[in-house]
Amino acid sequence: MNWFHELLSFELAFFVVGVTIVVAIAGLALVAPRVRLSGLQARFDNGTITGLLSALIGVYAVAAGLTAVAV
C-alpha cells in the first residue's frame, strides 16, 4: 500500500471519485432489477420519494456539519 501514500492530490481525488462511481453503478445494477420485480416502485408516489431524499440529504448535511466542526 505504499503507492497509495505517494499519490498526488488530484490523482487521489480521481481515485476516490472513480471508486465511488464504480460502487454506485454496481449497487444500482444489483438492486434495480430486484426493485422492478418486486413492484415496490408502484407503491410509492413522488411525495414519498421526495421525503426519503430530503431525509437523506438532511442526514448528510448534519454529518458534513459535524465533520467540519470536528476538523
Side-chain angles (χ1 to χ4, degrees), residues 30-46:
L30 291 173
V31 172
R34 292 182 184 192
V35 171
R36 285 191 197 105
L37 289 176
S38 71
L40 188 63
Q41 76 277 9
R43 297 182 197 152
F44 295 129
D45 61 347
N46 286 342

Side-chain angles (χ1 to χ4, degrees), residues 6-44:
E6 296 173 3
L7 291 176
L8 299 174
S9 295
F10 71 90
E11 292 172 335
L12 181 61
F14 284 127
F15 178 75
V16 169
V17 170
V19 168
T20 302
I21 289 172
V22 167
V23 169
I25 290 173
L28 180 65
L30 291 173
V31 172
R34 292 182 184 192
V35 171
R36 285 191 197 105
L37 289 176
S38 71
L40 188 63
Q41 76 277 9
R43 297 182 197 152
F44 295 129

